[in-house]
Amino acid sequence: MSPSKIHRSAESSIRDELNLGEEVVTIRHNAPAALLYEDALEEHDTAISSTGALIAFSGKKTGRSPKDKRIVDEATSSNNIWWGPVNKKCSEKTWLVNRERAADYLKTRDHLYIVDAYAGWDPRYRIKVRVVCARAYHALFMTNMLIRPSQQELKNFGEPDFTVWNAGQFPANTHTEGMSSKTTVEINFKKMEMVILGTEYAGEMKKGIFTVMFYLMPVSHNVLTLHSSANQGIHKQDVTLFFGLSGTGKTTLSADPHRELIGDDEHCWSDHGVFNIEGGCYAKCIGLSQAKEPEIYNAIKFGAVLENVAYDPNTRAVDYDDCTITENTRCAYPIEYIPSAKIPCMADQHPSNIILLTCDASGVLPPVSHLSPQQVMYHFISGYTSKVAGTEDGVTEPEATFSSCFGQPFLALHPMRYAEMLAEKMHQHKANAWLINTGWTGAGYLSGGQRCPLKYTRAILDAIHDGSLVKSEFETLPTFNLRIPTKVNNVPSNLLNPSKNWSEGSAKYGKAVQNLANLFVDNFKKYESEATKEVLSAGPKA
Ligand code: ATP
Ligand code: MN
């Protein structure tokens, strides 16, 4: 079959869907990066960086809009969905209004883009995704973030399992029933479609597909979806998962020169092992330097998309320290731009180590502790980290946040469904589990503590991976009941036990411990009725 014939079939299906009768619209199907660059550059503001990446801007929204996320309330999925603050209901009528609004807008464009690609590296579980959008940069973003089909696979692609209609340049109508703003990101599990109106932030598409996987994998395949990074030892082939909220170190710590990168953000754990959902990485760029993070820095080249960065108008060099547009500057590139990437991004092994990352600004939690299976569940359900306020707003109290399963905004089902699956898998495969605090040590953020130096966190990971840490001697930190090693190679011993190294003395430390323990206990109240007695008693004692 000739490529033009293949392209006609995806194109004609979109022409039918959109009722594109007489309208003159060019449809580009799986266009190469060079062609997407040429189209993107017709837009005001778009540029090519000095290293060859495409610089684009998402307009008013420079981050996700969690308050505008909706799921259509329909019979096939309604009983499964975790309704509440994360997943708000949207009627089938409102869905139809918004979908038609998106389609009517897309029809008015001169160019439309179709990206056909996969989510999920394991062919047993992957889904076929189609993205329909009107901005070339959105098409290039999803080409990078999804798994790119080979020519042969594209030829046999057929109908997609899930379609994203991105009409983000056009607003929702606030008079539409159930619309509280001009933005909506809504998923319909019966139709297997998503509609985006009123936001051009590209990350909505990536995290929308993540929510689809959080629904489909457990419900249809008994496969667990995880907000984690993953890597694998080159000799031992041992797999490590790193769970953690934004800024805790998933991307930084999974890039390890001694290990192959499976992925930096979204994974699934099946009966066969672990696979990455994505074909690319979406790295934070703020403060990026070639010296500190050479792999990411060097991946920002032709084909990569830079979003919302500032650049020198004369040299087109990007200023990674400039946050005038947003702190959340990002770059999306294909995963093979990282030299240690493991292609295909999957492993037949089950994880040997599970690492829960937290960035504790109160300085209470030790840099590393060994968790019992019940403690893993307690901390996984809690999902604790701190958000440190941006310096430009003046120094205010760092904010403790709890986000269940370390990924609450993306969950489709109740958090306990994922927690139960994780407990079962951990029981079956006997992984060691660790809590790592990449945040403050010696004292809290406000009392002159320091962030745990990256080299010590890396040394702790080396000791986990060479098997020495699990065999070392442990002592128990009261209240949180954490087992902490007394010695780790290449880490100063006084760093390991916060009750001994707290700069303001042990009385102040005790108070800080109680404060944090109270926050954990309060937060966990909402899970009390579902959690087992063992898990409940694995939490801190307030
Ligand atoms: P997101 O979900 O937003 O992608 P992430 O979990 O991937 O977030 P990273 O991008 O890895 O988070 O961010 C961690 C940041 O913290 C990096 O800028 C890193 O340099 C810094 N950092 C400082 N100290 C440490 C440490 N001890 N361990 C890990 N990261 C550290
Ligand atoms: Mn990351």
Side-chain angles (χ1 to χ4, degrees):
M1 204 191 291
S2 74
S4 62
K5 181 98 176 274
I6 306 155
H7 289 194
R8 251 198 318 273
S9 81
E11 182 177 335
S12 60
S13 112
I14 291 304
R15 284 192 181 276
D16 289 350
E17 285 271 4
L18 294 178
N19 256 320
L20 285 174
E22 302 304 304
E23 266 98 349
V24 190
V25 177
T26 318
I27 297 185
R28 303 213 194 279
H29 180 215
N30 283 36
L35 182 49
L36 294 172
Y37 268 54
E38 288 163 16
D39 283 0
L41 291 168
E42 287 176 14
E43 282 182 18
H44 163 71
D45 258 5
T46 307
I48 300 177
S49 83
S50 58
T51 65
L54 182 71
I55 300 175
F57 298 89
S58 67
K60 227 171 89 193
K61 304 265 179 167
T62 57
R64 285 183 301 105
S65 306
K67 293 194 186 100
D68 297 307
K69 183 177 171 187
R70 295 178 175 80
I71 292 187
V72 177
D73 183 14
E74 50 79 24
T76 71
S77 65
S78 194
N79 288 339
N80 273 316
I81 301 297
W82 180 38
W83 299 112
V86 170
N87 298 310
K88 285 181 284 295
K89 285 187 182 180
C90 161
S91 72
E92 289 186 278
K93 174 82 187 300
T94 295
W95 160 266
L96 286 172
V97 172
N98 285 332
R99 188 186 185 280
E100 186 163 309
R101 200 170 162 88
D104 283 343
Y105 170 76
L106 291 173
K107 273 191 209 176
T108 67
R109 304 292 88 195
D110 296 337
H111 291 122
L112 285 183
Y113 303 91
I114 303 173
V115 178
D116 282 344
Y118 301 106
W121 277 90
D122 189 330
R124 285 170 285 222
Y125 304 110
R126 73 183 180 191
I127 62 166
K128 295 184 283 179
V129 175
R130 173 165 294 166
V131 179
V132 184
C133 59
R135 288 192 72 183
Y137 116 71
H138 285 158
L140 184 55
F141 176 89
M142 286 308 274
T143 303
N144 290 350
M145 293 311 297
L146 291 168
I147 300 159
R148 294 156 289 287
S150 65
Q151 280 303 318
Q152 187 62 30
E153 287 170 327
L154 188 59
K155 201 170 116 182
N156 301 322
F157 198 80
E159 289 304 307
D161 300 311
F162 191 87
T163 301
V164 177
W165 299 96
N166 186 348
Q169 301 103 295
F170 200 62
N173 186 327
T174 51
H175 298 293
T176 305
E177 202 198 319
M179 279 311 107
S180 44
S181 76
K182 290 184 182 296
T183 302
T184 190
V185 176
E186 55 194 71
I187 296 174
N188 186 327
F189 284 113
K190 185 161 91 189
K191 298 265 296 174
M192 290 299 280
E193 292 186 0
M194 178 165 112
V195 165
I196 300 175
L197 288 168
T199 171
E200 295 169 68
Y201 179 64
E204 293 288 6
M205 294 183 281
K206 157 192 154 77
K207 290 298 191 195
I209 300 298
F210 198 24
T211 296
V212 172
M213 296 299 270
F214 263 114
Y215 177 78
L216 281 183
M217 292 298 113
V219 169
S220 313
H221 300 289
N222 197 33
V223 166
L224 176 59
T225 306
L226 310 163
H227 187 212
S228 76
S229 58
N231 65 18
Q232 185 171 25
I234 290 163
H235 302 298
K236 281 199 287 180
Q237 307 260 294
D238 60 307
V239 171
T240 295
L241 295 179
F242 302 79
F243 293 90
L245 292 160
S246 188
T248 56
K250 292 186 299 300
T251 298
T252 303
L253 299 172
S254 59
D256 179 329
H258 310 301
R259 301 175 66 80
E260 288 187 309
L261 178 67
I262 299 174
D264 81 327
D265 199 45
E266 307 178 0
H267 289 83
C268 289
W269 188 354
S270 76
D271 288 341
H272 306 280
V274 169
F275 64 91
N276 187 354
I277 291 174
E278 302 181 289
C281 302
Y282 193 30
K284 285 195 286 275
C285 291
I286 201 72
L288 186 66
S289 74
Q290 188 161 28
K292 267 197 339 204
E293 290 175 90
E295 293 85 2
I296 295 174
Y297 191 94
N298 294 331
I300 305 179
K301 56 186 181 184
F302 178 80
V305 180
L306 275 164
E307 203 178 29
N308 298 323
V309 296
Y311 61 91
D312 183 314
N314 296 316
T315 64
R316 262 39 183 175
V318 176
D319 180 354
Y320 290 113
D321 294 319
D322 188 322
C323 57
T324 44
I325 300 172
T326 174
E327 280 270 341
N328 190 30
T329 55
R330 293 269 180 171
C331 186
Y333 46 83
I335 193 162
E336 61 268 20
Y337 283 18
I338 298 289
S340 70
K342 185 185 189 205
I343 310 282
C345 301
M346 54 191 285
D348 318 333
Q349 281 75 17
H350 294 281
S352 310
N353 286 290
I354 304 278
I355 291 171
L356 307 185
L357 299 172
T358 184
C359 176
D360 174 26
S362 72
V364 161
L365 298 175
V368 61
S369 41
H370 189 228
L371 299 178
S372 72
Q374 290 75 24
Q375 284 177 316
V376 182
M377 297 326 301
Y378 183 88
H379 286 277
F380 182 72
I381 294 164
S382 299
Y384 165 70
T385 197
S386 329
K387 277 187 198 154
V388 179
T391 39
E392 76 270 25
D393 303 329
V395 182
T396 50
E397 285 282 327
E399 205 180 281
T401 45
F402 292 90
S403 179
S404 48
C405 311
F406 294 100
Q408 185 161 301
F410 321 118
L411 305 184
L413 316 176
H414 191 280
M416 291 306 292
R417 299 263 303 260
Y418 305 105
E420 280 158 17
M421 289 178 79
L422 181 66
E424 197 184 305
K425 289 198 176 293
M426 298 234 356
H427 176 72
Q428 202 181 341
H429 302 294
K430 310 258 178 290
N432 272 305
W434 311 88
L435 179 65
I436 289 191
N437 175 14
T438 65
W440 273 256
T441 156
Y445 171 81
L446 291 177
S447 338
Q450 278 192 349
R451 194 154 179 196
C452 183
L454 186 52
K455 63 176 175 186
Y456 296 141
T457 305
R458 289 201 190 278
I460 288 166
L461 288 171
D462 289 344
I464 289 173
H465 289 135
D466 70 19
S468 62
L469 195 62
V470 76
K471 292 191 215 123
S472 71
E473 202 180 287
F474 289 86
E475 58 187 337
T476 299
L477 190 70
T479 310
F480 277 87
N481 278 317
L482 294 171
R483 285 183 77 227
I484 51 184
T486 53
K487 259 175 76 180
V488 181
N489 271 345
N490 301 319
V491 180
S493 292
N494 69 352
L495 193 83
L496 297 171
N497 187 336
S499 73
K500 293 179 185 162
N501 75 0
W502 196 257
S503 63
E504 297 173 299
S506 57
K508 278 252 171 87
Y509 177 71
K511 221 173 143 228
V513 170
Q514 275 310 324
N515 282 342
L516 187 63
N518 289 338
L519 293 176
F520 267 85
V521 170
D522 275 353
N523 172 68
F524 211 83
K525 284 190 177 131
K526 52 183 176 283
Y527 305 111
E528 257 166 26
S529 56
E530 284 109 344
T532 63
K533 264 209 309 264
E534 292 74 22
V535 170
L536 260 172
S537 63
K541 304 284 167 283

